[in-house]
């Protein structure tokens, strides 16, 4: 898929940042200016950086690397899950489990417990427990499902992380940076660009913007499978 031109980015509201009183000054050089109290992105840079992110992720995908896609933002969940399914890559869309990257050995144990518990319900083995115990186990399974369902096939920490909202999912970025795992994503005007290896400066809220940016990334990576 061709990288969207500036007109397409404009039509998808990719140019709209946050209110000028809620911004990160490090994003100044990626902004065109402001209008009615809202920062406006320089779409020429958005186009250039989207191309760079696509190239970087395409290289990783072609090498068979694991890319973890992260976004717990409600409007983005179906889009991220679709990307994960299309690319056979892990995702986190409901809850970031602290230590998912930095405490991997413990997370591995939780993953095994989660999969065993899932199988216990699937096979009917759970019926050996009392009704009260089954209710308790069901609650545990529901919680684990929210945190681990998208990473259940992940055998090791990812080679890269893509984070859609750097402010909302700051813990994911902090853990990746601590382990020096490359971080890619969308960087809105309220986020810190220094947290990323490479990023797309643009709107991380509007559904139209997400569909265009993430759709471009998905189509680019599908071509390397």
């Amino acid at each position: 898929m061709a990288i969207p031109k500036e007109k397409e980015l404009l039509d998808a509201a990719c140019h709209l940042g946050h209110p000028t009183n809620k911004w990160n000054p490090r994003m100044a050089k990626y902004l065109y200016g402001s209008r009615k109290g809202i920062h406006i992105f320089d779409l020429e840079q958005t186009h250039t950086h989207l191309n760079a992110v696509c190239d970087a992720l395409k290289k990783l995908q072609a090498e068979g690397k694991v890319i973890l896609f992260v976004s717990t933002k409600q409007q983005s969940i179906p889009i991220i899950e679709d990307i994960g399914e299309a690319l056979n890559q892990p995702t986190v869309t409901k809850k970031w489990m602290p230590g998912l990257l930095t405490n991997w050995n413990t997370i591995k144990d939780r993953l095994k417990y989660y999969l065993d518990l899932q199988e216990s319900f699937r096979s009917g083995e759970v019926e050996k427990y009392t009704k009260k115990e089954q209710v308790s186990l069901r609650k545990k399974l529901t919680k684990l499902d929210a945190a681990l369902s998208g990473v259940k096939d992940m055998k090791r920490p990812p080679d890269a992380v893509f984070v859609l909202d750097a402010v909302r999912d700051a813990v994911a970025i902090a853990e990746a940076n601590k382990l020096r795992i490359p971080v890619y994503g969308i960087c809105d005007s309220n986020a810190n660009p220094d947290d990323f290896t490479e990023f797309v400066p643009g709107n991380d809220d509007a559904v139209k913007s997400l569909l265009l940016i993430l759709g471009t990334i998905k189509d680019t990576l599908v071509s390397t499978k």
Side-chain angles (χ1 to χ4, degrees):
M1 182 177 181
I3 303 300
K5 301 297 184 184
E6 292 173 39
K7 176 66 166 60
E8 295 173 86
L9 294 167
L10 181 68
D11 290 343
C14 298
H15 63 297
L16 297 176
H18 282 263
T20 53
N21 62 345
K22 294 180 180 179
W23 76 308
N24 190 313
R26 291 182 179 87
M27 287 299 293
K29 65 181 180 179
Y30 305 102
L31 300 171
Y32 177 79
S34 64
R35 186 175 303 160
K36 296 182 179 179
I38 301 294
H39 272 129
I40 305 298
F41 283 102
D42 176 354
L43 292 180
E44 183 177 345
Q45 294 198 62
T46 301
H47 172 87
T48 299
H49 282 266
L50 177 54
N51 190 50
V53 167
C54 284
D55 283 347
L57 295 180
K58 184 166 63 174
K59 185 173 184 293
L60 289 167
Q61 174 89 356
E63 294 170 352
K65 304 296 187 181
V66 175
I67 307 168
L68 175 62
F69 288 85
V70 180
S71 179
T72 58
K73 179 173 283 184
Q74 189 64 36
Q75 65 266 39
S76 73
I77 290 175
I79 308 172
I80 293 293
E81 289 178 342
D82 177 61
I83 286 178
E85 183 177 351
L87 303 176
N88 195 29
Q89 295 283 11
T91 61
V92 173
T93 58
K94 295 179 178 66
K95 177 185 177 183
W96 179 267
M97 181 172 280
L100 181 61
L101 302 181
T102 54
N103 197 12
W104 177 248
N105 287 334
T106 298
I107 295 299
K108 263 198 313 187
D109 292 338
R110 296 303 289 165
L111 268 171
K112 184 179 184 307
Y113 175 73
Y114 164 60
L115 293 173
D116 288 346
L117 190 57
Q118 199 176 52
E119 178 58 29
S120 179
F121 274 94
R122 187 164 35 240
S123 67
E125 186 184 355
V126 73
E127 292 175 10
K128 70 183 181 182
Y129 297 103
T130 66
K131 292 293 184 184
K132 184 177 181 180
E133 288 172 330
Q134 288 183 45
V135 169
S136 176
L137 289 171
R138 173 62 72 182
K139 288 180 179 177
K140 287 182 180 178
L141 180 59
T142 299
K143 287 183 179 179
L144 288 170
D145 195 59
L148 299 175
S149 62
V151 297
K152 64 183 179 181
D153 296 322
M154 200 165 74
K155 308 300 183 187
R156 57 182 175 80
D159 299 294
V161 178
F162 183 96
V163 180
L164 187 146
D165 187 326
V167 175
R168 184 183 182 93
D169 292 309
V171 176
I173 289 180
E175 290 194 23
N177 283 334
K178 185 174 182 179
L179 297 177
R180 297 185 179 180
I181 296 173
V183 179
Y184 302 90
I186 301 175
C187 192
D188 211 325
S189 61
N190 63 334
N192 183 1
D194 296 342
D195 287 336
F196 293 91
T197 304
E198 181 59 84
F199 62 91
V200 182
N203 186 339
D204 67 9
D205 290 309
V207 173
K208 287 194 300 182
S209 176
L210 300 182
L211 284 170
L212 183 60
I213 293 173
L214 296 176
T216 301
I217 290 170
K218 172 189 166 184
D219 289 349
T220 298
L221 299 189
V222 164
S223 67
T224 67
K225 285 188 67 180

